[in-house]
Amino acid sequence: MLHQDIERILFTEDELRTRVAEMGAQIDQDYVDRKPLLISVLRGSFIFMADLVRSITRPCTVDFMAVSSYGAGVTSSGQVKIVKDLTEQIEGKDIIVVEDILDSGNTLHYLLQILQARHPASIRLCTLLDKPSRRIKPVEADYSGFSIPDEFVVGYGLDYAEQYRNLPYIGILKPCVYQK
Ligand code: IMP
Ligand code: MG
């Protein structure tokens, strides 16, 4: 069972639901006369994205992008690769980049540069989790669900070696799982 590898639950399903609804309401307020394009950074943000867009009540569109920076380890390599690019053109659009977690900032620093070069009207960053103590690159989120300590977390879309994404809550992975 996946649950046995979890040291402690950080955010329950209820806590996630409540916070994500608040974030959606905030986006609703901030984009009154605009139709934002939400860009989910795959794969980690897919569950957050699905819940977030359902808590936004105004018109919006979605697109998906995949980048890789980790391999199977637990620290960012600093080398970021676009694995899947957007389908939509973003020039002149109000885009919101939706991420699961902002850690060193390597991934987003690179990604935001690429997106900026395509001249969107505006660009904001929405992350469910933030580990500010780990930051190497100067990246700040406009919308941040929770600040967390420097622990490796999984669930609600976040993985370790592609597993645990299907846990409905977010929990700290037992270090013995990745120190094997
Ligand atoms: P960064 O480039 O170091 O900011 O890492 C960002 C990416 O690393 C995230 O989008 C996640 O995919 C992954 N990541 C960072 N910390 C964790 C964690 O605690 N659990 C699972 N994935 C993580
Ligand atoms: Mg990710």
Side-chain angles (χ1 to χ4, degrees):
M1 294 292 284
L2 296 178
H3 186 70
Q4 287 165 354
D5 294 341
I6 303 302
E7 190 164 276
R8 166 164 85 82
I9 294 179
L10 261 190
F11 304 112
T12 63
E13 285 186 75
D14 266 1
E15 289 168 330
L16 290 166
R17 193 177 308 117
T18 302
R19 186 67 186 121
V20 173
E22 287 171 0
M23 296 174 84
Q26 185 65 54
I27 290 173
D28 260 349
Q29 271 186 33
D30 292 352
Y31 287 81
V32 171
D33 291 316
R34 296 180 289 168
K35 266 188 216 161
L37 165 63
L38 283 90
I39 297 175
S40 162
V41 185
L42 295 172
R43 280 168 266 181
S45 71
F46 80 110
I47 294 179
F48 173 44
M49 175 77 161
D51 285 344
L52 182 69
V53 292
R54 282 180 290 179
S55 65
I56 294 173
T57 63
R58 297 181 186 285
C60 64
T61 55
V62 301
D63 201 354
F64 301 87
M65 195 166 184
V67 295
S68 71
S69 62
Y70 262 56
V74 292
T75 53
S76 180
S77 64
Q79 299 231 327
V80 182
K81 218 172 62 188
I82 293 188
V83 178
K84 179 211 174 296
D85 208 338
L86 296 170
T87 306
E88 302 293 323
Q89 302 292 321
I90 61 169
E91 187 170 348
K93 293 186 184 163
D94 293 304
I95 66 175
I96 303 176
V97 176
V98 179
E99 253 287 26
D100 53 352
I101 185 165
L102 181 50
D103 187 32
S104 71
N106 278 328
T107 309
L108 280 162
H109 184 76
Y110 172 82
L111 191 60
L112 292 174
Q113 275 182 337
I114 292 180
L115 296 176
Q116 204 78 65
R118 299 180 188 178
H119 306 294
S122 70
I123 179 162
R124 282 191 175 180
L125 174 60
C126 176
T127 186
L128 178 63
L129 304 176
D130 188 358
K131 283 185 196 169
S133 66
R134 298 251 312 162
R135 202 78 87 253
I136 293 170
K137 293 278 168 58
V139 180
E140 288 297 323
D142 300 286
Y143 305 97
S144 171
F146 302 97
S147 259
I148 63 165
D150 182 10
E151 307 264 18
F152 198 80
V153 296
V154 294
Y156 196 70
L158 289 105
D159 74 307
Y160 168 66
E162 294 307 324
Q163 292 186 70
Y164 307 100
R165 294 192 197 276
N166 55 323
L167 285 173
Y169 54 80
I170 290 179
I172 298 173
L173 191 61
K174 286 181 181 165
C176 63
V177 174
Y178 52 83
Q179 283 166 357
K180 270 176 207 158

